Amino acid sequence: MFGIGMPELVIIMVIMLVVVGPGKLPQLGQALGSGIRNFKKASSGEDVVQLNEKSQ
């Protein structure tokens, strides 16, 4: 996965903890999960809007 191993992931998580702070980390995770969920829903075509054509 892009050459990122376990040590790199741990370093990234520690940096995120220092930058964001422990209080905001759950909110950040929730926002990220919600964004991914909405992206999957939109890419699967569940949010299709149908337009009615006028009959002449």
Side-chain angles (χ1 to χ4, degrees):
M1 183 173 95
F2 305 113
I4 297 177
M6 192 61 161
E8 290 86 3
L9 288 175
V10 170
I11 291 172
I12 291 170
M13 290 302 292
V14 168
I15 291 172
M16 287 296 295
L17 185 62
V18 169
V19 170
V20 176
K24 297 274 185 174
L25 204 57
Q27 293 173 355
L28 181 66
Q30 183 180 15
L32 182 63
S34 175
I36 291 171
R37 197 174 318 115
N38 288 337
F39 178 77
K40 285 183 179 180
K41 189 185 292 186
S43 66
S44 69
E46 291 182 21
D47 292 338
V48 176
V49 177
Q50 294 180 350
L51 300 175
N52 294 331
E53 294 182 22
K54 291 182 180 179
S55 58
Q56 295 176 343

